[in-house]
Amino acid sequence: MSPSDRADGGETLGTSFGAVEPFTAEERARLTPYFTNVDQPVFALVNLPEVVKGALFARYSRSPKSLRRLFLDEFADLATAEGAPARDIGIARAERLFERVFVEYGDDSVAQLGGVHLACEGVSNVLTKLLEWGRLMAYLEQSTRYVPYADRPGGRWRYHVPAEVRATPLARDYEATLDLMFETYARWLEPMQEHFRRRHPRQATDSEAVYRSTIRAKALDTLRGLLPAATKSNVGLYGTGQAYEALLLRLRASPLAEARACADLALTELRKVIPAFLRRVDTPDRGGAWSAYLAATREATEAAAARAVGSLVPDARPEVMLTDFDPEGEVKVVAAALYAVSGLPDDQLLAHARRMSAKDREAVLAAYVGERRNRRHKPGRALERTSYRFDVLTDYGAFRDLQRHRLLSLEWQPLGPRHGYAVPDAIEESGGGADWRRVMEASAALHDALAGAGLAPVASYAVCMAYRIRFYMEMNARETMHVLELRTAPQGHPAYRRVCQAMHRLIAEEAGHRGLAAAMRFVDHSAVELERLEAERRTDARLRALSETGSADR
Ligand SMILES: Cc1cc2nc3c(=O)[nH]c(=O)nc-3n(C[C@H](O)[C@H](O)[C@H](O)COP(=O)(O)OP(=O)(O)OC[C@H]3O[C@@H](n4cnc5c(N)ncnc54)[C@H](O)[C@@H]3O)c2cc1C
């Protein structure tokens, strides 16, 4: 290459990160369609198949070359002559690379390098919880607050009929009972809005749109307890090949036909995008054995539990209990706060923190937490030094929402009618109590009939979201801060707001972690009547401001 070939005149580009490799004009032209820049040390990859992006990154591990150089040397020839984006560029080559580093050496880091957006539509709420189990994925799910389930696409209410039930004599009961749930829900939609309109008349300062959507959200939030866990939802997922592999292995081990069928569909679709990442999933001696291990340990543990605790009956418990915490948690957080800014060993810091006066410890914690101007200003990892374990017994609707948090441990027990159900005050006040109870009784009867017929794994599809479920949440103080501050925000659902407010009180009063509880200063204990009102007002004001400046998307 002669110096004049260089687009930058032969000078190596420099930045504060150091020299950036120069490319010729011809190389730059070939790179441009696939990299967001060709002269900076930080760039994104675009218009390339996921598997190629993954393969390129995988080469970092064993090659001294820059990524763009690797692309030119190993993949660019496979691009179309014009350099136009082409879906299949380099796939065959990338697949060969994966064959070597991933399948043969089992190098999992490679499978973390390509991602896919996957849509799963018309899946039951039971399945959404399995889809959303993994920590290292992103999810977005249809909301029961904004989407009314009062329509009947194709003449059918939006619920899932499990394959296990379809061929049994209980299929008719199942459909009749779930029809009743949806009919009751749909019938109460207008009266419930009318109830809230009477109770909360529109204020002159609120637009009709703000008022209407606030009232509708309140009615939908109140009625969601009537919907069964079989209610269909749409979920969008984004994750890496590694995360999808783990998801598919879990789904394939599930006792639910719906989960296994979803795994088959997802595998087919994911293989159209990241085939190389998912080679092991259905190989009998790899993924097959892996799923079999998951299923076998679950079954063995169920059998062990039946022997060990099968004859015990649950003692009564409050909605939220703090079942484990470290009485020394705050002292440990103080020691941890000093760690990264000192040169002292971990145990020496802890011993010192124990000797410090309470006032001095407070000063360290105050410096570490700083002045938080909003809930997104979060202190660092020292807060991960102590954890809380909560046992929660609350309605399934609230559980669904809290289960979405990923940086914690959360497990739940089978959903059934044995812990009773919640009845929102507004239901009784508006005269809906009898209908509510009729639906709950029908739900319990169907659940018990299914369980009695040997269909226990699918019995929870029939259970309404107002029924209580027991689950634990174990989380460090940093995640606790995030969860409690988000989930007590005034626009949150009253059920999980109540649960999270109780958690906050327990941290302060039972754990005695008053300093940490105070650091969670955006936990909101106020009573709110119309959860969405302030948020709708803010959105309305923003839209008005935008439309006045001409930039609103009308
Ligand atoms: C009022 C309200 C309405 C909502 N409506 C909807 C809705 O309609 N649909 C819906 O799907 N959800 C809805 N949610 C749920 C919400 O948007 C989040 O998905 C949920 O709270 C869990 O995710 P998180 O990031 O908040 O917290 P966590 O999963 O607990 O994570 C805590 C933090 O860790 C980091 N983190 C965790 N995992 C990752 C990861 N994989 N990658 C990068 N960073 C990560 C992030 O900083 C995150 O904020 C609603 C929540 C509220 C409060």
Side-chain angles (χ1 to χ4, degrees):
M1 176 177 68
S2 79
S4 57
D5 286 341
R6 289 186 169 166
D8 62 354
E11 291 301 314
T12 297
L13 297 170
T15 73
S16 58
F17 291 93
V20 174
E21 182 180 1
F23 297 104
T24 65
E26 186 258 333
E27 285 171 339
R28 290 164 75 99
R30 290 165 78 202
L31 289 171
T32 298
Y34 307 109
F35 298 90
T36 51
N37 71 64
V38 292
D39 55 8
Q40 299 292 320
V42 179
F43 50 91
L45 284 68
V46 291
N47 297 324
L48 286 168
E50 290 303 314
V51 70
V52 172
K53 287 185 272 188
L56 275 167
F57 277 133
R59 299 282 282 117
Y60 264 151
S61 141
R62 289 168 177 78
S63 169
K65 294 182 190 175
S66 74
L67 199 80
R68 287 172 294 214
R69 178 59 58 199
L70 278 166
F71 178 81
L72 289 170
D73 291 353
E74 301 185 11
F75 291 89
D77 287 348
L78 305 166
T80 57
E82 304 81 46
R87 209 180 157 275
D88 296 334
I89 289 173
I91 280 193
R93 184 184 168 74
E95 295 254 335
R96 283 197 297 278
L97 184 74
F98 276 110
E99 193 63 47
R100 216 173 60 238
V101 294
F102 182 55
V103 182
E104 287 172 23
Y105 303 155
D107 186 347
D108 281 5
S109 62
V110 179
Q112 298 164 18
L113 295 170
V116 182
H117 287 91
L118 184 77
C120 295
E121 300 193 345
V123 295
S124 75
N125 268 258
V126 174
L127 180 53
T128 64
K129 297 297 91 184
L130 306 182
L131 288 169
E132 295 162 351
W133 193 82
R135 291 193 178 95
L136 298 180
M137 271 200 168
Y139 313 101
L140 200 118
E141 187 188 338
Q142 193 172 59
S143 168
T144 51
R145 167 179 271 180
Y146 306 111
V147 179
Y149 291 83
D151 58 336
R152 304 176 65 175
R156 299 183 65 84
W157 297 107
R158 286 197 270 158
Y159 62 78
H160 172 73
V161 183
E164 296 90 331
V165 175
R166 248 179 258 146
T168 72
L170 283 169
R172 196 173 289 187
D173 272 2
Y174 182 94
E175 296 197 12
T177 307
L178 271 70
D179 284 353
L180 170 74
M181 294 168 184
F182 278 78
E183 276 158 20
T184 311
Y185 170 94
R187 183 156 46 78
W188 272 95
L189 208 48
E190 180 41 40
M192 195 46 61
Q193 292 183 84
E194 182 49 31
H195 168 79
F196 287 119
R197 279 194 289 267
R198 269 201 310 276
R199 201 175 157 144
H200 306 286
R202 179 160 84 91
Q203 292 181 18
T205 44
D206 286 327
S207 72
E208 183 54 34
V210 164
Y211 184 64
R212 202 174 13 187
S213 52
T214 304
I215 292 289
R216 195 174 86 138
K218 182 77 182 165
L220 294 179
D221 268 356
T222 307
L223 290 170
R224 82 170 176 192
L226 291 168
L227 296 171
T231 303
K232 286 182 177 177
S233 188
N234 295 334
V235 186
L237 299 90
Y238 179 72
T240 63
Q242 186 186 50
Y244 278 112
E245 183 185 54
L247 170 66
L248 295 180
L249 291 171
R250 277 199 311 277
L251 293 183
R252 288 166 66 84
S254 170
L256 301 178
E258 186 194 12
R260 296 192 303 272
C262 181
D264 289 346
L265 293 174
L267 182 57
T268 303
E269 298 314 308
L270 289 167
R271 278 195 168 143
K272 293 176 185 168
V273 192
I274 48 168
F277 296 106
L278 298 168
R279 196 138 316 147
R280 306 188 287 207
V281 171
D282 53 356
T283 310
D285 62 336
R286 313 277 307 260
W290 200 335
S291 292
Y293 164 79
L294 296 176
T297 50
R298 186 191 60 244
E299 284 160 19
T301 311
E302 279 168 1
R307 286 192 300 274
V309 295
S311 60
L312 302 183
V313 286
D315 292 335
R317 290 287 181 271
E319 184 173 42
V320 186
M321 271 189 79
L322 177 60
T323 55
D324 202 11
F325 66 93
D326 183 349
E328 248 201 329
E330 287 201 327
V331 178
K332 289 182 179 168
V333 168
V334 168
L338 297 170
Y339 186 91
V341 286
S342 80
L344 300 173
D346 197 45
D347 63 314
Q348 189 181 347
L349 280 169
L350 180 57
H352 185 74
R354 284 181 177 135
R355 286 194 299 269
M356 286 165 72
S357 70
K359 198 154 164 282
D360 287 348
R361 282 199 295 264
E362 262 170 46
V364 173
L365 191 59
Y368 193 76
V369 172
E371 194 193 334
R372 302 183 61 218
R373 307 234 323 250
N374 63 56
R375 70 174 180 84
R376 295 179 197 279
H377 294 175
K378 291 203 189 92
R381 294 201 164 173
L383 266 71
E384 296 174 8
R385 184 72 168 82
T386 196
S387 294
Y388 307 101
R389 184 176 170 101
F390 295 100
D391 199 25
V392 184
L393 182 62
T394 197
D395 66 79
Y396 185 77
F399 155 75
R400 275 174 70 239
D401 294 334
L402 293 174
Q403 189 267 351
R404 291 291 303 283
H405 291 282
R406 296 159 291 175
L407 296 192
L408 43 65
S409 300
L410 184 156
E411 282 196 298
W412 61 98
Q413 298 177 348
L415 172 65
R418 66 144 72 161
H419 300 303
Y421 55 85
V423 190
D425 291 345
I427 294 290
E428 297 288 13
E429 289 159 8
S430 60
D435 277 353
W436 190 271
R437 278 184 282 279
R438 192 164 28 253
V439 165
M440 295 305 139
E441 280 156 25
S443 168
L446 178 60
H447 169 276
D448 292 350
L450 290 166
L455 296 169
V458 293
S460 48
Y461 281 99
V463 180
C464 289
M465 295 192 198
Y467 272 103
R468 296 190 185 92
I469 181 170
R470 198 192 309 274
F471 59 99
Y472 77 78
M473 292 170 75
E474 184 160 358
M475 47 197 174
N476 63 51
R478 191 161 180 242
E479 173 70 347
T480 307
M481 174 179 275
H482 171 74
V483 172
L484 303 195
E485 292 186 341
L486 178 73
R487 295 295 180 178
T488 56
Q491 65 268 34
H493 193 285
Y496 64 63
R497 281 194 84 219
R498 188 180 63 241
V499 167
C500 292
Q501 287 165 343
M503 288 176 172
H504 190 233
R505 279 193 295 272
L506 288 166
I507 290 170
E509 291 161 18
E510 194 166 322
H513 292 181
R514 291 187 185 275
L516 287 172
M520 301 174 192
R521 58 174 291 222
F522 296 102
V523 175
D524 190 324
H525 285 272
S526 64
V528 179
E529 289 267 326
L530 278 178
E531 289 78 25
R532 285 296 310 162
L533 186 56
E534 283 307 320
E536 292 292 344
R537 282 174 178 158
R538 280 197 302 274
T539 307
D540 192 51
R542 261 199 310 270
L543 287 174
R544 277 169 201 263
L546 282 171
S547 72
E548 272 157 27
T549 57
S551 47
D553 179 3
R554 289 159 219 260

